[in-house]
Amino acid sequence: MTISTVSSASRKPWVIANWKMNPTSQSQAITLIEQLAQKASINQVNVIITPSNLHLATVKNTLNQLQLPYQLAGQNLCAEHSENGAYTGETSATQLADIGAEYVLIGHSERRQYYAETDAILVKKIHHAFAKNLSVIFCIGETHEQYLAKQTFEVISQQLNVLAELKFQIQANSVPKLLIAYEPVWAIGTGLTPTISEIETVHQFINEQLNKLTLDSPVLYGGSVNANNVNDIASISGVDGVLVGGASLNAESFYQIIEAFAKK
Ligand code: PGA
């Protein structure tokens, strides 16, 4: 399998909105994009919106109508088959690509925790995504218990081992791409974040691990990023962007986060 990383020179920062199971209606999803469109569009940043799979088409149409240059990601895909078949309740990589998604989140801690997604499942999902030309945002991160036990590096290197199993060949500047999102589980939705130096150290460690795998992927931070802390986070060396949950549901704060990375 051949996947690409992004050459450092051509690397624009990434700001990714993870809407999770929000909002509750299509009209609210449209309103959120309309509010974002009232701001100037920012081309110096790769902005990606990850609505629920059910809202992908609506969000895609709204982005097109408003001529916003933002891309789409799916939140999940079927591990069992990349195209179609008898998998009730699932969405395939082919269906995501057909609806206009160019990326997909894989390994988010909420999927690992609530849907028991194991490494074996994640390997299948990544394979299917790449097979259908979807770029992968692969999420990793330690729990609070692991953080307190100082097991962060151990946990992260185990999670990254999934990538070793895929036996990539690297090809620069082509799709699909691989992005890593470091999201400490204890920082997600809690308002807590690691210190600046902790984030920097972990990103450095992730980059070392990626080097060993001969991968040169962008590494994003995620977990309680908001308009107040984003300037500090954007200034950390080794942070190539952010994955934003709660604060991406408010157009004003999401826009401020995009702006902070446009200055990077
Ligand atoms: P949060 O979520 O920004 O609400 O902490 C981040 C995520 O889960 O991707």
Coordinates of all heavy atoms in Angstrom, one line a residue, residues 51-83:
P51 N -18.9 16.5 10.2 CA -20.3 16.4 10.8 C -20.6 14.9 11.0 O -19.8 14.1 10.6 CB -21.1 17.0 9.7 CG -20.3 17.0 8.4 CD -18.9 16.7 8.8
S52 N -21.8 14.7 11.6 CA -22.2 13.3 11.7 C -22.4 12.8 10.2 O -22.6 13.6 9.3 CB -23.6 13.2 12.4 OG -24.6 13.3 11.5
N53 N -22.2 11.5 10.0 CA -22.2 11.0 8.6 C -23.6 11.3 8.0 O -23.7 11.6 6.8 CB -22.1 9.4 8.6 CG -20.6 9.1 8.8 OD1 -19.7 9.9 8.8 ND2 -20.3 7.8 9.0
L54 N -24.6 11.4 8.8 CA -26.0 11.8 8.3 C -26.0 13.2 7.7 O -26.9 13.5 6.9 CB -27.0 11.6 9.4 CG -28.4 11.3 9.1 CD1 -28.5 10.1 8.2 CD2 -29.2 11.1 10.3
H55 N -25.2 14.1 8.2 CA -25.2 15.5 7.8 C -24.2 15.8 6.7 O -24.1 17.0 6.4 CB -25.1 16.4 9.0 CG -26.2 16.4 9.9 ND1 -26.2 16.9 11.2 CD2 -27.5 15.9 9.8 CE1 -27.4 16.8 11.8 NE2 -28.2 16.2 11.0
L56 N -23.4 14.8 6.3 CA -22.4 15.1 5.3 C -22.9 15.8 4.1 O -22.3 16.8 3.6 CB -21.6 13.8 5.0 CG -20.5 13.4 5.9 CD1 -20.1 11.9 5.6 CD2 -19.3 14.3 5.9
A57 N -23.9 15.3 3.5 CA -24.4 15.8 2.2 C -24.9 17.2 2.4 O -24.6 18.1 1.5 CB -25.5 14.9 1.7
T58 N -25.6 17.5 3.4 CA -26.2 18.8 3.7 C -25.0 19.8 3.9 O -25.1 20.9 3.3 CB -27.0 18.8 5.0 OG1 -28.0 17.8 4.8 CG2 -27.6 20.1 5.3
V59 N -24.0 19.4 4.6 CA -22.9 20.3 4.9 C -22.1 20.5 3.6 O -21.7 21.7 3.3 CB -22.0 19.8 6.0 CG1 -20.7 20.6 6.2 CG2 -22.8 19.8 7.4
K60 N -22.0 19.5 2.8 CA -21.2 19.6 1.6 C -22.0 20.6 0.6 O -21.3 21.5 0.1 CB -21.2 18.2 0.9 CG -20.6 18.2 -0.5 CD -19.1 18.2 -0.5 CE -18.5 18.2 -1.8 NZ -17.1 18.5 -1.8
N61 N -23.3 20.4 0.5 CA -24.1 21.4 -0.3 C -24.0 22.8 0.1 O -23.8 23.7 -0.7 CB -25.5 20.9 -0.4 CG -25.7 19.6 -1.1 OD1 -24.8 19.3 -1.9 ND2 -26.8 18.9 -0.8
T62 N -24.0 23.0 1.5 CA -24.0 24.3 2.0 C -22.6 25.0 1.8 O -22.5 26.1 1.4 CB -24.3 24.3 3.5 OG1 -25.5 23.5 3.7 CG2 -24.6 25.7 4.0
L63 N -21.5 24.2 2.0 CA -20.2 24.7 1.7 C -20.1 25.1 0.2 O -19.5 26.2 -0.1 CB -19.1 23.6 2.0 CG -18.9 23.3 3.5 CD1 -17.9 22.1 3.6 CD2 -18.3 24.5 4.2
N64 N -20.6 24.3 -0.7 CA -20.5 24.6 -2.1 C -21.3 25.9 -2.4 O -20.8 26.7 -3.1 CB -21.1 23.4 -2.9 CG -20.2 22.3 -3.0 OD1 -19.0 22.4 -2.6 ND2 -20.6 21.1 -3.4
Q65 N -22.5 25.9 -1.9 CA -23.4 27.1 -2.2 C -22.7 28.4 -1.7 O -22.8 29.4 -2.4 CB -24.7 27.0 -1.5 CG -25.8 26.2 -2.3 CD -26.9 25.7 -1.3 OE1 -27.1 26.2 -0.3 NE2 -27.6 24.6 -1.8
L66 N -22.1 28.3 -0.6 CA -21.5 29.5 0.0 C -20.0 29.7 -0.4 O -19.4 30.6 0.0 CB -21.6 29.4 1.5 CG -23.0 29.4 2.1 CD1 -23.0 29.1 3.6 CD2 -23.8 30.7 1.8
Q67 N -19.6 28.8 -1.3 CA -18.2 28.8 -1.8 C -17.1 28.9 -0.7 O -16.2 29.7 -0.8 CB -18.1 30.0 -2.8 CG -19.0 29.8 -4.0 CD -18.8 30.9 -5.0 OE1 -18.4 32.0 -4.8 NE2 -19.1 30.5 -6.3
L68 N -17.4 28.1 0.3 CA -16.3 28.0 1.4 C -15.4 26.9 1.0 O -15.8 25.8 0.7 CB -17.0 27.7 2.7 CG -17.4 28.8 3.6 CD1 -17.9 28.3 4.9 CD2 -16.3 29.8 3.8
P69 N -14.0 27.2 1.0 CA -13.1 26.3 0.5 C -12.7 25.2 1.6 O -11.5 24.8 1.7 CB -11.9 27.1 0.2 CG -11.9 28.2 1.2 CD -13.4 28.5 1.5
Y70 N -13.7 24.8 2.4 CA -13.4 23.8 3.5 C -13.7 22.4 3.0 O -14.6 22.2 2.3 CB -14.1 24.2 4.7 CG -13.8 25.7 5.2 CD1 -14.6 26.4 6.0 CD2 -12.6 26.3 4.8 CE1 -14.3 27.7 6.5 CE2 -12.2 27.6 5.2 CZ -13.1 28.3 6.1 OH -12.8 29.5 6.5
Q71 N -12.9 21.5 3.6 CA -13.1 20.1 3.2 C -13.9 19.3 4.2 O -14.2 19.8 5.3 CB -11.8 19.4 2.9 CG -11.1 20.0 1.7 CD -9.6 19.5 1.6 OE1 -8.8 19.8 2.4 NE2 -9.4 18.6 0.7
L72 N -14.3 18.1 3.8 CA -15.2 17.3 4.7 C -14.5 16.0 5.1 O -13.8 15.4 4.4 CB -16.4 16.8 3.9 CG -17.6 17.7 3.7 CD1 -18.7 16.9 3.1 CD2 -18.1 18.2 5.1
A73 N -14.8 15.6 6.4 CA -14.4 14.3 6.8 C -15.6 13.5 7.4 O -16.5 14.1 7.9 CB -13.3 14.5 7.9
G74 N -15.5 12.2 7.3 CA -16.4 11.3 8.0 C -15.9 11.0 9.4 O -14.7 11.1 9.7
Q75 N -16.9 10.7 10.3 CA -16.5 10.4 11.7 C -16.1 8.9 11.9 O -15.6 8.6 12.9 CB -17.6 10.8 12.6 CG -17.8 12.3 12.7 CD -18.9 12.6 13.8 OE1 -19.3 11.8 14.5 NE2 -19.3 13.9 13.8
N76 N -16.5 8.1 10.9 CA -16.4 6.7 11.1 C -16.6 6.0 9.8 O -17.3 6.5 8.9 CB -17.4 6.2 12.2 CG -17.3 4.8 12.5 OD1 -16.2 4.2 12.5 ND2 -18.4 4.1 12.9
L77 N -16.1 4.7 9.7 CA -16.5 3.9 8.5 C -16.5 2.5 8.9 O -16.0 2.1 10.0 CB -15.5 4.2 7.3 CG -14.0 4.1 7.5 CD1 -13.5 2.7 7.6 CD2 -13.4 4.6 6.2
C78 N -17.1 1.7 8.0 CA -17.2 0.2 8.3 C -15.9 -0.5 8.2 O -15.2 -0.3 7.2 CB -18.2 -0.3 7.2 SG -18.5 -2.1 7.4
A79 N -15.6 -1.3 9.2 CA -14.4 -2.1 9.2 C -14.5 -3.3 8.3 O -13.5 -3.9 7.9 CB -14.0 -2.5 10.6
E80 N -15.7 -3.8 8.1 CA -15.9 -5.1 7.5 C -15.8 -5.1 6.0 O -15.4 -6.2 5.4 CB -17.2 -5.7 7.9 CG -17.3 -6.0 9.4 CD -16.1 -6.8 10.0 OE1 -15.7 -7.7 9.3 OE2 -15.6 -6.4 11.1
H81 N -16.1 -4.0 5.4 CA -16.1 -4.0 3.9 C -15.9 -2.6 3.4 O -16.5 -1.6 4.1 CB -17.5 -4.6 3.4 CG -17.4 -5.1 2.0 ND1 -17.3 -4.2 0.9 CD2 -17.3 -6.3 1.5 CE1 -17.2 -4.9 -0.2 NE2 -17.2 -6.2 0.1
S82 N -15.2 -2.4 2.4 CA -14.9 -1.0 1.9 C -16.0 -0.5 1.0 O -16.0 0.7 0.7 CB -13.5 -0.9 1.3 OG -13.6 -1.7 0.1
E83 N -16.8 -1.3 0.5 CA -17.8 -0.8 -0.5 C -19.3 -0.9 0.0 O -19.9 0.0 0.3 CB -17.6 -1.6 -1.8 CG -16.2 -1.1 -2.4 CD -15.8 -1.9 -3.7 OE1 -16.6 -2.8 -4.1 OE2 -14.8 -1.6 -4.2

